[in-house]
Amino acid sequence: MAIKVLLVEDDPTISEMIERALSRLGFEVQVAADGDAGVEAFAAFAPDVALVDGLLPKRAGADVARAIRQHPQGAQVGLILVSAVYKTGPARREAYAAGFDAIFNKPYVLGDVVRTIAELAKKYTGKTSDIAAQLGQAKRRAPKKVRTQENPRLSPRTEPETAAPSSDVPPTDEQAVLASTDEAGEIAAKDQPLLVRPGDGAALLVRLARRRATGILRFKNANAEIAFAYSKGVIVGARDTLRENQLRERLLAAGDVEPRGLLEVEARMKDRGERFLEAAIALGVLEADAAFVALEAQVAHRVARGALWPPAAVNFRQDRTEVARLFTAGVEVVDIVLEALLGYDDQALFDGFFQAHKDAPVVPTPELEPALQVLARLRPSSRLPPVMFEPDITVGAIVHRLGHSVLDELWALHRAGAWHTVRKAAAPVPRLDEDTRAHRRSKAQRTRLDARVQGALLSARGRGYYEVLGLAPSAAAIEIEKRLDALDKEFGQGAPGIDELTVGMAAARELWTIYADIRAVLLDPALRRAYDESSGEVSLKAPDLFEDERDLDMRFLQGMLAYDAGELGVAEQHFAAVLKGRPDDVDAEAFCTMARFRTSSMSAVAARAVLSALHEHEPSSLRPLLFWVDACLYAGDSQSARKVFKMAQALDPHNLEVRRRQARIEEASS
């Protein structure tokens, strides 16, 4: 029988995310939105374990626990408290006295909670489940940067929601982003980059955490995008468009999965439509506990990449649905951001930072103490922590006393929001009536665009392809392509205002799928002929397009395995096939280039030129830089390899492949 879990949580976003996650793992979940409802649900639902928030409407979490324990069946249920306020010794003792078996401070790691649910269910009722049993027996291998109740001293500290942003942030980066927040709490996408300098991404990630934001933050440059899901200031999920950050590639690079096992996983995903982790666990390629650790590490790694993201436009939207969809695991932002910043190496940047701030006083923020604890863990020999709390100390005085070697630490702590400087606040600019009218016009335009998109979808659903386009079946292919291009300009992903959609975004995504289906069928002579012969009753659906993508993913994986095995001709064939289906795939082009170079069908000069162009095309992608380093080393040019390596290190200093290139360069230099 399934383990029954009662979730008592008043925040609908959090309850939806937790309910969905637990249900996917095979738990039977019931949700109550306040304390009184939680006590009533316990009597009716008879759960094996109850997960209770500390601060609830009508009845606090501790009172809920007491009421449950006084119930005739209350002695046979596991009680878990999740809260952001039960952190002190007296508060925790009060919680345990109320009847709780375990306490988790927010943000908590989902894998830890699942494991505790499994342990308590087995203790009180003897129930187990396949995944829960694996989690209960496995030892935790959590990344250092993820905190749980085991280390409450390093739990996140946030300023009050009403705290003003620090005044030393130039108005050209994240301050401008936050200053442009409208009444709906949204930040509009900008044409000009809002991330300009190294570390601007880190400052913005921390700033939204301190503001306890809920929504989706996106950094987007020409050919790459990364997004972070915030729930009350905690990053609970992330995604990006970089292939090197895909879970399967990270696991393969780390040696956590066997290459041939990945092929079996890909085949199962194609046959059954399962997600990667679902298929990997089902086949035994990956254990459940390792899957949770991998997911948490992936989110943390993406936060680290975001901290050093290259120049990009920024968009933030309060989208609770998207937050729930991206929910994976909660991570501690300051820890991860600070570790990423400490790995950055640019002495010219640090010297410029010193010149700009040498006479400025160091004003601590609430993040300074936990940030210094992280610094002490990462750099035990650092002499900076004792100095940072001295009253009225300036940046120049710190550097004079400790030397210029601490500049990177000062810069990292500053960009991570651990301290700021004091500047005279500019006089507030009164909000003009014209500004108000402009905002209302913008909001009305978004509403009209929502309505147009939804109307277009209603007109397209259930209709034949020619009817959707408003063309006759005898229309020439050029007419069809022109009509589709016009629809893309009006409703496509790059259409004006499309990024500002609210309720119409889901409709837009469905509309894009329909247009993609039509383009795939009517612009392919064979598929169009089959469509016409069936009188429009048989058409290519989105799942078939999805199968094509699966085939390309399979070819890419086979190409990687062949490349690693030294079968360069086979690898080139696989990647060439991928490029036919995805001409703009930077990773496939990089692999193909290196395979040709290593088989002597491309010169070193040509290979390096192609890899350099790929880097310019997608500056956020790591693989062209890594292969560029390899090409330099194959040609015996360790000096150029070191220069390119610096560029890769700036993108992702803690990446395993980056560290391997560093070792190769040192070996070649010696």
Side-chain angles (χ1 to χ4, degrees):
M1 293 178 62
I3 295 174
K4 299 169 67 175
V5 179
L6 172 62
L7 174 61
V8 189
E9 170 63 63
D10 62 316
D11 188 306
T13 301
I14 294 177
S15 63
E16 181 182 352
M17 291 188 298
I18 300 300
E19 180 186 13
R20 187 176 65 171
L22 294 179
S23 297
R24 283 179 177 173
L25 293 175
F27 296 101
E28 183 180 347
V29 185
Q30 182 161 324
V31 178
D34 59 62
D36 287 349
V39 175
E40 294 174 3
F42 171 78
F45 182 54
D48 304 309
V49 179
L51 198 62
V52 184
D53 188 21
L55 297 178
L56 292 166
K58 299 184 180 180
R59 194 184 299 209
D63 294 331
V64 171
R66 293 188 189 96
I68 288 176
R69 290 301 185 201
Q70 292 170 4
H71 190 275
Q73 302 300 321
Q76 284 144 24
V77 62
L79 295 182
I80 301 174
L81 173 67
V82 290
S83 177
V85 297
Y86 283 79
K87 295 180 180 179
T88 64
R92 294 171 73 85
R93 285 193 293 273
E94 177 191 351
Y96 285 125
F100 284 107
D101 296 287
I103 303 172
F104 284 85
N105 291 326
K106 293 181 178 180
Y108 50 81
V109 178
L110 181 61
D112 292 343
V113 175
V114 172
R115 184 179 303 101
T116 304
I117 290 173
E119 292 171 352
L120 292 177
K122 185 175 181 180
K123 172 184 175 182
Y124 283 101
T125 68
K127 287 185 179 181
T128 60
S129 67
D130 293 340
I131 292 179
Q134 292 183 44
L135 290 168
Q137 295 167 5
K139 290 185 177 180
R140 180 72 177 155
R141 295 178 295 160
K144 291 181 179 179
K145 61 191 80 172
V146 180
R147 293 291 179 266
T148 68
Q149 82 279 15
E150 301 299 329
N151 262 319
R153 292 191 307 113
L154 297 186
S155 57
R157 293 182 164 206
T158 54
E159 292 182 349
E161 210 165 344
T162 55
S166 54
S167 58
D168 64 319
V169 182
T172 55
D173 49 42
E174 72 277 359
Q175 181 65 37
V177 177
L178 296 173
S180 67
T181 304
D182 63 16
E183 293 173 4
E186 295 183 359
I187 301 172
K190 304 294 182 181
D191 293 330
Q192 298 299 320
L194 288 170
L195 303 185
V196 179
R197 304 162 301 177
D200 281 355
L204 184 51
L205 287 166
V206 173
R207 182 66 53 79
L208 288 177
R210 290 169 63 186
R211 289 198 167 195
R212 297 179 59 78
T214 295
I216 302 295
L217 173 67
R218 287 183 176 86
F219 301 160
K220 185 175 184 179
N221 46 25
N223 297 290
E225 176 182 326
I226 192 167
F228 307 94
Y230 279 85
S231 178
K232 293 187 176 181
V234 178
I235 292 181
V236 296
R239 63 172 174 79
D240 60 44
T241 57
L242 301 177
R243 185 184 292 276
E244 68 238 24
N245 287 345
Q246 288 183 357
L247 196 56
R248 69 200 72 180
E249 292 212 19
R250 288 173 51 80
L251 292 169
L252 187 61
D256 292 335
V257 296
E258 292 294 329
R260 299 301 170 187
L262 283 185
L263 291 174
E264 296 176 7
V265 172
E266 288 286 348
R268 184 181 176 101
M269 290 168 64
K270 180 179 178 180
D271 292 341
R272 304 197 181 190
E274 294 177 342
R275 296 186 177 186
F276 173 75
L277 282 182
E278 294 170 343
I281 292 173
L283 290 171
V285 173
L286 203 62
E287 293 185 356
D289 67 310
F292 277 110
V293 173
L295 283 173
E296 293 157 7
Q298 184 185 40
V299 174
H301 181 259
R302 282 172 166 157
V303 173
R305 286 296 300 269
L308 295 171
W309 199 255
V314 175
N315 176 282
F316 178 79
R317 176 173 291 133
Q318 292 181 332
D319 188 342
R320 291 178 179 269
T321 302
E322 185 72 2
V323 170
R325 193 180 70 81
L326 287 183
F327 174 76
T328 304
V331 296
E332 191 164 324
V333 178
V334 174
D335 281 32
I336 301 168
V337 162
L338 186 57
E339 186 170 356
L341 294 172
L342 287 171
Y344 191 74
D345 183 15
D346 187 343
Q347 194 58 48
L349 174 69
F350 302 150
D351 290 340
F353 171 79
F354 174 67
Q355 293 300 322
H357 294 85
K358 62 182 178 180
D359 297 325
V362 173
V363 181
T365 71
E367 279 77 26
L368 181 59
E369 184 178 352
L372 289 177
Q373 292 175 357
V374 177
L375 177 63
R377 172 172 61 80
L378 297 173
R379 296 188 176 181
S381 61
S382 174
R383 297 181 293 160
L384 192 59
V387 180
M388 292 296 292
F389 288 104
E390 292 187 13
D392 302 322
I393 196 164
T394 64
V395 173
I398 293 175
V399 174
H400 178 74
R401 185 188 306 180
L402 302 180
H404 280 71
S405 61
V406 300
L407 275 177
D408 63 332
E409 296 176 2
L410 278 170
W411 172 80
L413 290 169
H414 181 265
R415 299 312 285 158
W419 67 274
H420 60 80
T421 60
V422 176
R423 290 184 182 175
K424 186 177 180 180
V429 179
R431 190 175 181 85
L432 303 177
D433 290 341
E434 179 58 32
D435 291 340
T436 303
R437 287 195 293 270
H439 169 73
R440 289 175 178 172
R441 284 197 299 270
S442 175
K443 190 172 182 180
Q445 288 168 358
R446 289 200 301 270
T447 302
R448 286 196 294 270
L449 183 57
D450 281 331
R452 282 172 45 219
V453 169
Q454 290 173 319
L457 177 61
L458 291 174
S459 300
R461 276 180 177 162
R463 299 178 185 271
Y465 289 167
Y466 297 111
E467 190 177 0
V468 171
L469 299 180
L471 297 173
S474 58
I478 188 67
E479 294 180 66
I480 294 172
E481 188 169 14
K482 285 182 179 179
R483 180 58 182 150
L484 284 167
D485 289 342
L487 290 172
D488 281 342
K489 286 182 181 179
E490 186 175 6
F491 300 115
Q493 298 183 46
I498 207 75
D499 285 337
E500 300 300 318
L501 285 174
T502 53
V503 296
M505 182 55 77
R509 292 194 183 102
E510 186 175 345
L511 200 58
W512 299 338
T513 300
I514 292 174
Y515 292 158
D517 289 354
I518 297 174
R519 187 180 293 273
V521 173
L522 297 190
L523 295 184
D524 183 296
L527 291 176
R528 183 180 181 183
R529 188 162 50 250
Y531 179 82
D532 291 341
E533 289 172 356
S534 65
S535 301
E537 295 177 357
V538 179
S539 62
L540 186 63
K541 302 296 184 183
D544 294 319
L545 295 177
F546 185 69
E547 292 296 330
D548 292 343
E549 287 296 308
R550 283 278 184 237
D551 290 338
L552 292 176
D553 287 339
M554 178 70 83
R555 293 298 294 269
F556 189 96
L557 178 58
Q558 290 171 332
M560 283 181 60
L561 298 179
Y563 185 89
D564 291 340
E567 300 171 359
L568 302 178
V570 177
E572 182 182 344
Q573 293 175 9
H574 284 303
F575 290 120
V578 173
L579 288 170
K580 287 182 180 179
R582 291 198 290 246
D584 294 328
D585 193 318
V586 169
D587 295 271
E589 186 67 51
F591 266 113
C592 210
T593 299
M594 280 303 292
R596 289 168 182 164
F597 166 64
R598 291 179 59 187
T599 55
S600 301
S601 59
M602 179 181 286
S603 69
V605 174
R608 289 159 75 170
V610 171
L611 294 167
S612 172
L614 290 175
H615 169 63
E616 292 180 7
H617 177 71
E618 194 166 304
S620 302
S621 181
L622 196 59
R623 199 176 321 264
L625 290 174
L626 296 177
F627 281 163
W628 193 357
V629 171
D630 292 342
C632 292
L633 291 176
Y634 277 119
D637 188 355
S638 58
Q639 185 175 359
S640 296
R642 194 175 295 278
K643 290 180 180 178
V644 179
F645 170 77
K646 288 285 186 183
M647 297 160 60
Q649 189 179 43
L651 275 182
D652 193 355
H654 300 288
N655 183 278
L656 182 61
E657 291 297 326
V658 171
R659 292 177 177 175
R660 287 172 178 166
R661 263 56 175 196
Q662 184 176 21
R664 291 178 192 173
I665 291 172
E666 292 173 355
E667 182 180 351
S669 300
S670 61

